[in-house]
Amino acid sequence: DSTFHMSWELLHRAYCTADQDTMQCHVDLMQWLNWVFILAGVAYFFRQSFAHTPYGRYVEGTESCWMVPAKAAWFIQEVPSFLAPAGLCYFCNGKSSIGRNLLLGTFCFHYIQRSFIYALLTKGRPSPFFIVVSAVIFCTVNGLFQGSYMLFCAQYDEAWLTDIRLILGLTLFFLGMAINIHSDHILRNLRQTGEVVYKIPRGGLFEYVSGANFFGEIIEWFGYAIATWSLPAFSFAFFTMCSIGPRAFHHHRFYLQKFEDYPRARKALIPFII
């Protein structure tokens, strides 16, 4: 958390200065943050190889920590990823182009859905306060990171609008987003409001993998990385894969242990592979 807090301060000092007309891309800062996200992803991956991140079904001993209701938790922790780049657009004078606006708008679109739709619909369990705080810090830093890169560093001319990388990347992004939203819909309708029982998810990509929602989000962010063709977007996609990929395997193991009739042909994360 201290590393991400320092990153946030550096971004604020680098971009939101009094003299907004002289803003420029700070390449060294961007490269440093790329490595922070990549190395943090590797560290988080190995941590989850030995322990569950304590939210959702893996929360234990709730009487010993402050719990935040699910709807509030998801809204509070997701909305900074929308507000941070939106704030940069409003308060800082970044150069504008159709390509930049399209790609930054695509990033924000994901978090509008997560903050204002998914968060209000979720029937999940409360989250520990420290998990929410950690997520707020990460989402704020990442929102500033991605927004700063798109506004002050990225350069896209009109030819980019017909570039195969943009077309392929956006196709994967919206395909992954559709998978993620549909999978969340399936999970949400497995239980009534207030229920905490777990059932076997069926339908959609859940017929092939236990972590269909995670698979969709990973596809989404790697699609965004291709569309932007940028290291900041790739480092975020890599961190996402390292953070939620292992969780799909935890869920898969949970289902196999809990349900004797759980489909044995299902994989954990990638259909037909793993």
Side-chain angles (χ1 to χ4, degrees):
D1 291 349
S2 60
T3 301
F4 284 121
H5 179 72
M6 182 170 61
S7 304
W8 183 7
E9 289 296 325
L10 286 171
L11 279 169
H12 178 78
R13 294 174 184 175
Y15 294 113
C16 293
T17 59
D19 186 8
Q20 293 183 349
D21 292 330
T22 62
M23 289 182 183
Q24 58 184 336
C25 176
H26 293 256
V27 177
D28 291 342
L29 175 61
M30 288 291 140
Q31 291 179 343
W32 185 81
L33 285 170
N34 287 328
W35 282 109
V36 167
F37 273 61
I38 290 171
L39 294 176
V42 172
Y44 198 18
F45 177 85
F46 282 108
R47 178 192 179 280
Q48 291 201 98
S49 298
F50 301 100
H52 300 296
T53 300
Y55 70 92
R57 69 190 65 184
Y58 305 113
V59 174
E60 297 179 357
T62 57
E63 68 281 353
S64 63
C65 61
W66 184 17
M67 304 298 292
V68 182
K71 294 181 188 297
W74 280 104
F75 174 78
I76 292 168
Q77 68 191 34
E78 297 284 328
V79 77
S81 285
F82 163 67
L83 293 179
L88 285 175
C89 288
Y90 183 79
F91 291 107
C92 305
N93 297 327
K95 296 180 180 179
S96 178
S97 71
I98 295 177
R100 285 178 174 177
N101 294 342
L102 172 63
L103 291 167
L104 188 56
T106 299
F107 177 86
C108 290
F109 180 61
H110 169 89
Y111 284 103
I112 290 173
Q113 192 277 329
R114 295 293 289 182
S115 303
F116 299 102
I117 300 176
Y118 172 81
L120 298 180
L121 294 176
T122 186
K123 299 176 183 177
R125 300 175 63 179
S127 293
F129 178 73
F130 78 92
I131 290 291
V132 176
V133 171
S134 298
V136 167
I137 294 171
F138 174 82
C139 287
T140 303
V141 170
N142 187 52
L144 289 171
F145 181 29
Q146 303 301 326
S148 298
Y149 175 80
M150 294 304 301
L151 289 170
F152 308 119
C153 299
Q155 297 181 8
Y156 302 104
D157 55 25
E158 291 186 2
W160 189 255
L161 296 177
T162 57
D163 193 288
I164 186 61
R165 290 168 291 183
L166 177 68
I167 296 170
L168 175 61
L170 289 182
T171 299
L172 289 173
F173 177 89
F174 286 107
L175 174 62
M177 188 173 188
I179 292 171
N180 182 250
I181 292 174
H182 182 246
S183 300
D184 285 337
H185 172 77
I186 291 173
L187 291 174
R188 189 164 54 245
N189 286 281
L190 285 176
R191 61 175 64 159
Q192 299 298 318
T193 302
E195 281 189 333
V196 293
V197 297
Y198 290 96
K199 304 173 185 177
I200 299 175
R202 301 187 186 277
L205 275 184
F206 280 115
E207 297 298 324
Y208 304 97
V209 293
S210 298
N213 50 334
F214 302 129
F215 175 72
E217 188 162 357
I218 291 170
I219 292 296
E220 193 176 349
W221 289 121
F222 274 101
Y224 182 74
I226 294 171
T228 63
W229 207 246
S230 69
L231 191 53
F234 170 78
S235 64
F236 172 49
F238 179 81
F239 182 90
T240 299
M241 179 183 66
C242 290
S243 62
I244 65 177
R247 199 163 176 88
F249 287 88
H250 297 161
H251 282 19
H252 187 65
R253 189 179 305 116
F254 172 86
Y255 287 129
L256 289 172
Q257 293 174 349
K258 187 173 182 64
F259 302 105
E260 293 183 358
D261 58 339
Y262 192 74
R264 302 292 165 174
R266 281 191 199 179
K267 301 300 183 180
L269 181 62
I270 303 176
F272 309 113
I273 300 177
I274 57 173

